[in-house]
Amino acid sequence: MGFFSDLRDDLSQAVNELMPGEETKKQAAEDKYPSGKSSGMAVNGRVDASEEERDGGYDADLSRMLEQMDEIEVPEIVEEMPAPPAAQKEEEEKEVKEIREETRGRALEIVSEGEVAVLTGNTVINGNIAAKEDLEVRGSIVGNVEASGRLTVSGAIKGDSKAAEISVDGARIDGELRSSGKIKVGPSSVIIGNIFAESGMIAGAVRGDIDVKESLMLGSSAVVLGNIKSKSLQINKGAILEGMCSQCYSEVNPSSFFEEDMEEK
């Protein structure tokens, strides 16, 4: 309100300096109309009604305007306060929930552009994943996984996995592993499901059948509970195998060595 008070005082001072006083106006009127008979002047030298309305009315309006300046209410500026942390957290949780609902049951495609796509250890995904290049899984996935390149797993997968090459190290997988190339299962890894590959090396625990078109090696720390099909098989000392072994992909037919004996009988 101090701004309007100062403005009013400045305007009042300016008006007093510019507008003549009562005596000055009378003297100016007498000089202009000495006979006192001109239009707009009375005999006693006072300004007529029309002159008073012009001069006195302007002064009155200006005075009223200056007086009303003190009555003007200045609106308060209200700054918009940011949402409290609790409200922000609730809004973020709502957005995350909507995203989960939108992507649930759909495949998540990861484009690595020639680099390895990595799912960190804190990542938990409920849904299928398809990678166009290499994929490294350090977190947990509940769903099927497919990679056009190499699949490296050190986390957990609950679902079937398919890739050009698969390497499992210290991981837990509940599902089928299928590779068009090589499969390597390192120590401390647990696989519950069948394994299909061109070649393989097993040093962890597998509960399921193993079907390898070429060579298969069981390391000294391997534990296999299931049947094995391969072209050649190497079992190192210390490995445990409970199941049937068949070198059905071998170029040699074992039955051919006993055809003569079968004919004699």
Side-chain angles (χ1 to χ4, degrees), residues 6 17 46 92 104 106 153 160 167 171 174 183 229 247 264-265:
D6 296 340
E17 293 177 356
R46 293 171 55 191
E92 292 175 356
R104 181 173 295 177
R106 296 169 53 188
V153 184
D160 298 337
S167 178
D174 294 338
I183 283 184
K229 292 181 179 181
Q247 277 67 56
E264 292 179 358
K265 292 182 180 180

Side-chain angles (χ1 to χ4, degrees), residues 183-256:
I183 283 184
K184 178 181 178 181
V185 179
S188 302
S189 299
V190 177
I191 311 296
I192 301 178
N194 300 327
I195 294 177
F196 300 89
E198 286 294 317
S199 62
M201 183 176 67
I202 309 297
V206 178
R207 189 176 73 182
D209 297 336
I210 300 176
D211 191 334
V212 175
K213 300 293 180 63
E214 297 294 335
S215 62
L216 174 65
M217 184 186 74
L218 300 183
S220 58
S221 59
V223 177
V224 178
L225 181 60
N227 301 324
I228 294 177
K229 292 181 179 181
S230 65
K231 183 176 181 179
S232 64
L233 175 62
Q234 177 182 340
I235 302 177
N236 292 344
K237 183 179 179 179
I240 299 175
L241 172 62
E242 290 189 8
M244 298 180 60
C245 297
S246 173
Q247 277 67 56
C248 58
Y249 299 116
S250 175
E251 298 177 357
V252 178
N253 184 6
S255 301
S256 63

Side-chain angles (χ1 to χ4, degrees), residues 2 11 21 26 28 34 42 59-60 64-65 94 102 134 140 154 178 186 189 215 223 234:
L11 289 176
K26 288 182 180 180
D59 293 342
R64 284 195 299 272
M65 181 184 70
K94 182 179 178 182
E102 183 180 355
D134 297 344
S140 300
S154 59
R178 189 179 293 270
S189 299
S215 62
V223 177
Q234 177 182 340

Side-chain angles (χ1 to χ4, degrees), residues 169-187:
D169 187 9
R172 166 85 183 205
I173 298 179
D174 294 338
E176 179 181 282
L177 292 180
R178 189 179 293 270
S179 172
S180 57
K182 182 179 180 179
I183 283 184
K184 178 181 178 181
V185 179

Side-chain angles (χ1 to χ4, degrees), residues 78-89:
V78 180
E79 297 182 358
E80 185 177 355
M81 300 297 294
Q88 292 179 353
K89 184 177 180 180

